[in-house]
mmCIF file of all heavy atoms in Angstrom:
data_model
loop_
_atom_site.group_PDB
_atom_site.id
_atom_site.type_symbol
_atom_site.label_atom_id
_atom_site.label_comp_id
_atom_site.label_asym_id
_atom_site.label_seq_id
_atom_site.Cartn_x
_atom_site.Cartn_y
_atom_site.Cartn_z
ATOM 1 N N ALA R 57 111.840 115.821 136.556
ATOM 2 C CA ALA R 57 112.238 116.759 135.528
ATOM 3 C C ALA R 57 111.195 116.880 134.446
ATOM 4 O O ALA R 57 110.923 117.947 133.881
ATOM 5 C CB ALA R 57 113.594 116.370 134.935
ATOM 6 N N ALA R 58 110.562 115.808 134.171
ATOM 7 C CA ALA R 58 109.461 115.760 133.128
ATOM 8 C C ALA R 58 108.372 116.758 133.555
ATOM 9 O O ALA R 58 107.899 117.574 132.765
ATOM 10 C CB ALA R 58 108.894 114.355 132.949
ATOM 11 N N SER R 59 107.928 116.570 134.804
ATOM 12 C CA SER R 59 106.780 117.477 135.254
ATOM 13 C C SER R 59 107.298 118.921 135.397
ATOM 14 O O SER R 59 106.520 119.812 134.967
ATOM 15 C CB SER R 59 106.281 116.940 136.654
ATOM 16 O OG SER R 59 105.853 115.597 136.485
ATOM 17 N N LYS R 60 108.522 119.118 135.860
ATOM 18 C CA LYS R 60 109.056 120.457 135.999
ATOM 19 C C LYS R 60 109.107 121.194 134.658
ATOM 20 O O LYS R 60 108.826 122.377 134.612
ATOM 21 C CB LYS R 60 110.390 120.387 136.717
ATOM 22 C CG LYS R 60 110.895 121.702 137.203
ATOM 23 C CD LYS R 60 111.905 121.498 138.322
ATOM 24 C CE LYS R 60 112.489 122.858 138.662
ATOM 25 N NZ LYS R 60 113.727 123.151 137.994
ATOM 26 N N SER R 61 109.381 120.440 133.604
ATOM 27 C CA SER R 61 109.587 121.036 132.337
ATOM 28 C C SER R 61 108.299 121.738 131.810
ATOM 29 O O SER R 61 108.227 122.583 130.970
ATOM 30 C CB SER R 61 110.070 120.023 131.235
ATOM 31 O OG SER R 61 109.032 119.098 130.974
ATOM 32 N N LEU R 62 107.129 121.311 132.411
ATOM 33 C CA LEU R 62 105.837 121.847 131.937
ATOM 34 C C LEU R 62 105.396 123.074 132.738
ATOM 35 O O LEU R 62 104.448 123.701 132.349
ATOM 36 C CB LEU R 62 104.764 120.724 131.990
ATOM 37 C CG LEU R 62 105.032 119.575 131.061
ATOM 38 C CD1 LEU R 62 103.937 118.524 131.209
ATOM 39 C CD2 LEU R 62 105.092 119.994 129.562
ATOM 40 N N GLU R 63 106.186 123.382 133.806
ATOM 41 C CA GLU R 63 105.664 124.462 134.639
ATOM 42 C C GLU R 63 105.472 125.822 133.859
ATOM 43 O O GLU R 63 104.495 126.485 134.027
ATOM 44 C CB GLU R 63 106.591 124.699 135.859
ATOM 45 C CG GLU R 63 106.380 123.634 136.971
ATOM 46 C CD GLU R 63 104.908 123.612 137.425
ATOM 47 O OE1 GLU R 63 104.305 124.677 137.634
ATOM 48 O OE2 GLU R 63 104.312 122.480 137.473
ATOM 49 N N PRO R 64 106.490 126.152 132.995
ATOM 50 C CA PRO R 64 106.340 127.474 132.203
ATOM 51 C C PRO R 64 105.042 127.407 131.363
ATOM 52 O O PRO R 64 104.422 128.421 131.160
ATOM 53 C CB PRO R 64 107.567 127.468 131.333
ATOM 54 C CG PRO R 64 108.576 126.601 131.919
ATOM 55 C CD PRO R 64 107.806 125.530 132.704
ATOM 56 N N GLU R 65 104.680 126.207 130.931
ATOM 57 C CA GLU R 65 103.456 126.007 130.074
ATOM 58 C C GLU R 65 102.213 126.287 130.893
ATOM 59 O O GLU R 65 101.284 126.965 130.465
ATOM 60 C CB GLU R 65 103.477 124.675 129.378
ATOM 61 C CG GLU R 65 104.572 124.489 128.393
ATOM 62 C CD GLU R 65 104.446 125.412 127.184
ATOM 63 O OE1 GLU R 65 103.255 125.719 126.879
ATOM 64 O OE2 GLU R 65 105.430 125.746 126.564
ATOM 65 N N PHE R 66 102.179 125.698 132.121
ATOM 66 C CA PHE R 66 101.020 125.905 132.958
ATOM 67 C C PHE R 66 100.878 127.385 133.252
ATOM 68 O O PHE R 66 99.842 128.019 133.306
ATOM 69 C CB PHE R 66 101.084 125.016 134.189
ATOM 70 C CG PHE R 66 100.900 123.564 133.912
ATOM 71 C CD1 PHE R 66 101.856 122.651 134.357
ATOM 72 C CD2 PHE R 66 99.890 123.099 133.140
ATOM 73 C CE1 PHE R 66 101.720 121.335 134.044
ATOM 74 C CE2 PHE R 66 99.731 121.727 132.806
ATOM 75 C CZ PHE R 66 100.706 120.837 133.265
ATOM 76 N N ASP R 67 102.077 127.981 133.665
ATOM 77 C CA ASP R 67 102.069 129.443 133.927
ATOM 78 C C ASP R 67 101.548 130.243 132.785
ATOM 79 O O ASP R 67 100.814 131.226 133.011
ATOM 80 C CB ASP R 67 103.540 129.849 134.243
ATOM 81 C CG ASP R 67 104.041 129.385 135.620
ATOM 82 O OD1 ASP R 67 103.067 128.893 136.379
ATOM 83 O OD2 ASP R 67 105.190 129.444 135.836
ATOM 84 N N ARG R 68 101.902 129.864 131.567
ATOM 85 C CA ARG R 68 101.391 130.597 130.374
ATOM 86 C C ARG R 68 99.885 130.559 130.362
ATOM 87 O O ARG R 68 99.191 131.539 130.113
ATOM 88 C CB ARG R 68 102.001 129.948 129.131
ATOM 89 C CG ARG R 68 101.581 130.582 127.853
ATOM 90 C CD ARG R 68 102.690 130.358 126.770
ATOM 91 N NE ARG R 68 102.755 129.047 126.330
ATOM 92 C CZ ARG R 68 102.413 128.627 125.127
ATOM 93 N NH1 ARG R 68 101.983 129.461 124.239
ATOM 94 N NH2 ARG R 68 102.514 127.328 124.779
ATOM 95 N N HIS R 69 99.311 129.333 130.569
ATOM 96 C CA HIS R 69 97.817 129.234 130.603
ATOM 97 C C HIS R 69 97.252 130.115 131.673
ATOM 98 O O HIS R 69 96.225 130.834 131.469
ATOM 99 C CB HIS R 69 97.410 127.773 130.874
ATOM 100 C CG HIS R 69 97.577 126.862 129.680
ATOM 101 N ND1 HIS R 69 98.822 126.337 129.320
ATOM 102 C CD2 HIS R 69 96.683 126.385 128.780
ATOM 103 C CE1 HIS R 69 98.613 125.554 128.203
ATOM 104 N NE2 HIS R 69 97.342 125.561 127.909
ATOM 105 N N LEU R 70 97.794 130.079 132.921
ATOM 106 C CA LEU R 70 97.295 130.920 134.007
ATOM 107 C C LEU R 70 97.440 132.384 133.689
ATOM 108 O O LEU R 70 96.542 133.153 133.968
ATOM 109 C CB LEU R 70 98.038 130.502 135.302
ATOM 110 C CG LEU R 70 97.838 129.039 135.720
ATOM 111 C CD1 LEU R 70 98.726 128.686 136.934
ATOM 112 C CD2 LEU R 70 96.343 128.796 136.072
ATOM 113 N N ASN R 71 98.554 132.758 133.057
ATOM 114 C CA ASN R 71 98.751 134.141 132.706
ATOM 115 C C ASN R 71 97.691 134.650 131.741
ATOM 116 O O ASN R 71 97.191 135.750 131.892
ATOM 117 C CB ASN R 71 100.097 134.161 132.002
ATOM 118 C CG ASN R 71 100.938 135.203 132.580
ATOM 119 O OD1 ASN R 71 100.487 136.359 132.777
ATOM 120 N ND2 ASN R 71 102.236 134.878 132.889
ATOM 121 N N ILE R 72 97.384 133.827 130.775
ATOM 122 C CA ILE R 72 96.371 134.165 129.810
ATOM 123 C C ILE R 72 95.003 134.336 130.534
ATOM 124 O O ILE R 72 94.245 135.285 130.360
ATOM 125 C CB ILE R 72 96.228 133.228 128.686
ATOM 126 C CG1 ILE R 72 97.547 133.190 127.887
ATOM 127 C CG2 ILE R 72 95.075 133.487 127.745
ATOM 128 C CD1 ILE R 72 97.618 132.104 126.770
ATOM 129 N N ALA R 73 94.752 133.357 131.414
ATOM 130 C CA ALA R 73 93.464 133.404 132.173
ATOM 131 C C ALA R 73 93.358 134.690 132.962
ATOM 132 O O ALA R 73 92.318 135.361 133.019
ATOM 133 C CB ALA R 73 93.380 132.116 133.065
ATOM 134 N N GLU R 74 94.476 135.082 133.550
ATOM 135 C CA GLU R 74 94.523 136.300 134.367
ATOM 136 C C GLU R 74 94.109 137.536 133.487
ATOM 137 O O GLU R 74 93.474 138.406 133.938
ATOM 138 C CB GLU R 74 95.874 136.475 134.924
ATOM 139 C CG GLU R 74 95.901 137.354 136.157
ATOM 140 C CD GLU R 74 97.153 137.021 137.011
ATOM 141 O OE1 GLU R 74 97.330 135.877 137.416
ATOM 142 O OE2 GLU R 74 97.940 137.962 137.143
ATOM 143 N N GLN R 75 94.603 137.491 132.203
ATOM 144 C CA GLN R 75 94.336 138.602 131.379
ATOM 145 C C GLN R 75 92.924 138.572 130.799
ATOM 146 O O GLN R 75 92.423 139.662 130.485
ATOM 147 C CB GLN R 75 95.361 138.659 130.274
ATOM 148 C CG GLN R 75 96.788 139.010 130.706
ATOM 149 C CD GLN R 75 97.713 138.921 129.531
ATOM 150 O OE1 GLN R 75 97.580 139.771 128.632
ATOM 151 N NE2 GLN R 75 98.618 138.010 129.537
ATOM 152 N N LEU R 76 92.366 137.425 130.633
ATOM 153 C CA LEU R 76 91.028 137.370 129.906
ATOM 154 C C LEU R 76 89.881 137.047 130.732
ATOM 155 O O LEU R 76 88.733 137.301 130.351
ATOM 156 C CB LEU R 76 91.212 136.317 128.767
ATOM 157 C CG LEU R 76 92.221 136.538 127.691
ATOM 158 C CD1 LEU R 76 92.093 135.410 126.651
ATOM 159 C CD2 LEU R 76 92.002 137.849 127.029
ATOM 160 N N LEU R 77 90.084 136.460 131.905
ATOM 161 C CA LEU R 77 88.938 135.922 132.686
ATOM 162 C C LEU R 77 88.760 136.644 134.038
ATOM 163 O O LEU R 77 89.787 137.057 134.563
ATOM 164 C CB LEU R 77 89.032 134.402 132.925
ATOM 165 C CG LEU R 77 89.354 133.522 131.738
ATOM 166 C CD1 LEU R 77 89.407 132.074 132.157
ATOM 167 C CD2 LEU R 77 88.278 133.671 130.639
ATOM 168 N N ASN R 78 87.591 136.712 134.509
ATOM 169 C CA ASN R 78 87.290 137.295 135.771
ATOM 170 C C ASN R 78 86.760 136.250 136.767
ATOM 171 O O ASN R 78 86.260 135.228 136.391
ATOM 172 C CB ASN R 78 86.258 138.400 135.635
ATOM 173 C CG ASN R 78 86.832 139.669 134.979
ATOM 174 O OD1 ASN R 78 87.853 140.133 135.456
ATOM 175 N ND2 ASN R 78 86.257 140.097 133.920
ATOM 176 N N ASN R 79 86.929 136.574 137.995
ATOM 177 C CA ASN R 79 86.327 135.821 139.146
ATOM 178 C C ASN R 79 86.119 134.306 138.968
ATOM 179 O O ASN R 79 87.031 133.608 138.891
ATOM 180 C CB ASN R 79 85.041 136.520 139.588
ATOM 181 C CG ASN R 79 85.287 138.032 139.798
ATOM 182 O OD1 ASN R 79 86.408 138.389 140.160
ATOM 183 N ND2 ASN R 79 84.338 138.845 139.515
ATOM 184 N N GLU R 80 84.794 134.028 138.819
ATOM 185 C CA GLU R 80 84.494 132.518 138.884
ATOM 186 C C GLU R 80 85.120 131.786 137.733
ATOM 187 O O GLU R 80 85.616 130.667 137.876
ATOM 188 C CB GLU R 80 83.013 132.231 138.827
ATOM 189 C CG GLU R 80 82.300 132.548 140.178
ATOM 190 C CD GLU R 80 80.945 133.140 139.914
ATOM 191 O OE1 GLU R 80 80.137 132.579 139.213
ATOM 192 O OE2 GLU R 80 80.763 134.206 140.424
ATOM 193 N N ARG R 81 85.071 132.380 136.526
ATOM 194 C CA ARG R 81 85.593 131.709 135.415
ATOM 195 C C ARG R 81 87.106 131.514 135.556
ATOM 196 O O ARG R 81 87.641 130.500 135.245
ATOM 197 C CB ARG R 81 85.339 132.498 134.059
ATOM 198 C CG ARG R 81 83.906 132.278 133.647
ATOM 199 C CD ARG R 81 83.694 132.716 132.186
ATOM 200 N NE ARG R 81 82.246 132.831 131.984
ATOM 201 C CZ ARG R 81 81.539 133.922 132.059
ATOM 202 N NH1 ARG R 81 82.142 135.046 132.270
ATOM 203 N NH2 ARG R 81 80.279 133.916 131.927
ATOM 204 N N ARG R 82 87.764 132.582 136.093
ATOM 205 C CA ARG R 82 89.219 132.471 136.236
ATOM 206 C C ARG R 82 89.455 131.354 137.354
ATOM 207 O O ARG R 82 90.345 130.475 137.093
ATOM 208 C CB ARG R 82 89.806 133.763 136.677
ATOM 209 C CG ARG R 82 91.339 133.684 136.696
ATOM 210 C CD ARG R 82 92.008 134.791 137.505
ATOM 211 N NE ARG R 82 91.736 136.136 136.918
ATOM 212 C CZ ARG R 82 92.154 137.199 137.479
ATOM 213 N NH1 ARG R 82 92.851 137.221 138.615
ATOM 214 N NH2 ARG R 82 91.889 138.397 136.961
ATOM 215 N N ALA R 83 88.782 131.389 138.385
ATOM 216 C CA ALA R 83 88.964 130.455 139.450
ATOM 217 C C ALA R 83 88.789 128.924 138.943
ATOM 218 O O ALA R 83 89.488 128.050 139.195
ATOM 219 C CB ALA R 83 88.034 130.667 140.662
ATOM 220 N N ALA R 84 87.654 128.833 138.147
ATOM 221 C CA ALA R 84 87.379 127.521 137.569
ATOM 222 C C ALA R 84 88.530 127.028 136.721
ATOM 223 O O ALA R 84 89.018 125.843 136.752
ATOM 224 C CB ALA R 84 86.097 127.524 136.804
ATOM 225 N N PHE R 85 89.061 127.961 135.880
ATOM 226 C CA PHE R 85 90.178 127.505 135.007
ATOM 227 C C PHE R 85 91.465 127.237 135.790
ATOM 228 O O PHE R 85 92.161 126.274 135.514
ATOM 229 C CB PHE R 85 90.411 128.561 133.835
ATOM 230 C CG PHE R 85 91.346 128.058 132.857
ATOM 231 C CD1 PHE R 85 90.996 127.081 131.978
ATOM 232 C CD2 PHE R 85 92.690 128.582 132.820
ATOM 233 C CE1 PHE R 85 91.967 126.563 131.025
ATOM 234 C CE2 PHE R 85 93.589 128.121 131.895
ATOM 235 C CZ PHE R 85 93.164 127.131 131.032
ATOM 236 N N VAL R 86 91.687 128.002 136.808
ATOM 237 C CA VAL R 86 92.873 127.704 137.671
ATOM 238 C C VAL R 86 92.778 126.320 138.218
ATOM 239 O O VAL R 86 93.801 125.584 138.193
ATOM 240 C CB VAL R 86 93.010 128.816 138.778
ATOM 241 C CG1 VAL R 86 94.062 128.431 139.845
ATOM 242 C CG2 VAL R 86 93.333 130.203 138.147
ATOM 243 N N SER R 87 91.606 125.947 138.646
ATOM 244 C CA SER R 87 91.442 124.609 139.151
ATOM 245 C C SER R 87 91.596 123.542 138.099
ATOM 246 O O SER R 87 92.150 122.535 138.304
ATOM 247 C CB SER R 87 90.160 124.549 140.034
ATOM 248 O OG SER R 87 89.346 123.577 139.584
ATOM 249 N N THR R 88 91.091 123.849 136.864
ATOM 250 C CA THR R 88 91.296 122.853 135.736
ATOM 251 C C THR R 88 92.829 122.635 135.471
ATOM 252 O O THR R 88 93.196 121.550 135.285
ATOM 253 C CB THR R 88 90.611 123.446 134.469
ATOM 254 O OG1 THR R 88 89.211 123.671 134.742
ATOM 255 C CG2 THR R 88 90.706 122.512 133.326
ATOM 256 N N VAL R 89 93.536 123.754 135.474
ATOM 257 C CA VAL R 89 94.997 123.693 135.252
ATOM 258 C C VAL R 89 95.649 122.896 136.415
ATOM 259 O O VAL R 89 96.508 121.981 136.111
ATOM 260 C CB VAL R 89 95.672 125.029 135.158
ATOM 261 C CG1 VAL R 89 97.186 124.971 135.063
ATOM 262 C CG2 VAL R 89 95.139 125.768 133.849
ATOM 263 N N GLY R 90 95.139 123.129 137.627
ATOM 264 C CA GLY R 90 95.744 122.380 138.804
ATOM 265 C C GLY R 90 95.498 120.859 138.644
ATOM 266 O O GLY R 90 96.374 120.030 138.833
ATOM 267 N N ASP R 91 94.255 120.497 138.212
ATOM 268 C CA ASP R 91 93.980 119.088 138.015
ATOM 269 C C ASP R 91 94.802 118.460 136.924
ATOM 270 O O ASP R 91 95.330 117.344 137.057
ATOM 271 C CB ASP R 91 92.488 118.899 137.598
ATOM 272 C CG ASP R 91 91.566 119.239 138.695
ATOM 273 O OD1 ASP R 91 91.967 119.371 139.899
ATOM 274 O OD2 ASP R 91 90.296 119.439 138.405
ATOM 275 N N ALA R 92 94.986 119.242 135.858
ATOM 276 C CA ALA R 92 95.814 118.690 134.756
ATOM 277 C C ALA R 92 97.268 118.472 135.186
ATOM 278 O O ALA R 92 97.875 117.408 134.959
ATOM 279 C CB ALA R 92 95.831 119.721 133.566
ATOM 280 N N ARG R 93 97.713 119.477 135.955
ATOM 281 C CA ARG R 93 99.093 119.372 136.450
ATOM 282 C C ARG R 93 99.323 118.099 137.313
ATOM 283 O O ARG R 93 100.211 117.325 137.089
ATOM 284 C CB ARG R 93 99.377 120.629 137.204
ATOM 285 C CG ARG R 93 100.817 120.733 137.796
ATOM 286 C CD ARG R 93 100.886 121.800 138.800
ATOM 287 N NE ARG R 93 101.422 123.079 138.271
ATOM 288 C CZ ARG R 93 100.914 124.201 138.419
ATOM 289 N NH1 ARG R 93 99.803 124.329 139.103
ATOM 290 N NH2 ARG R 93 101.544 125.256 137.982
#
Side-chain angles (χ1 to χ4, degrees):
S59 301
K60 194 156 174 265
S61 71
L62 296 179
E63 283 308 311
E65 294 293 332
F66 293 127
D67 286 348
R68 180 153 69 113
H69 284 77
L70 295 173
N71 232 311
I72 297 175
E74 203 157 299
Q75 292 179 66
L76 297 182
L77 309 180
N78 284 307
N79 308 329
E80 283 141 57
R81 284 195 194 95
R82 190 196 295 177
F85 187 71
V86 169
S87 121
T88 303
V89 172
D91 292 347
R93 182 192 262 131

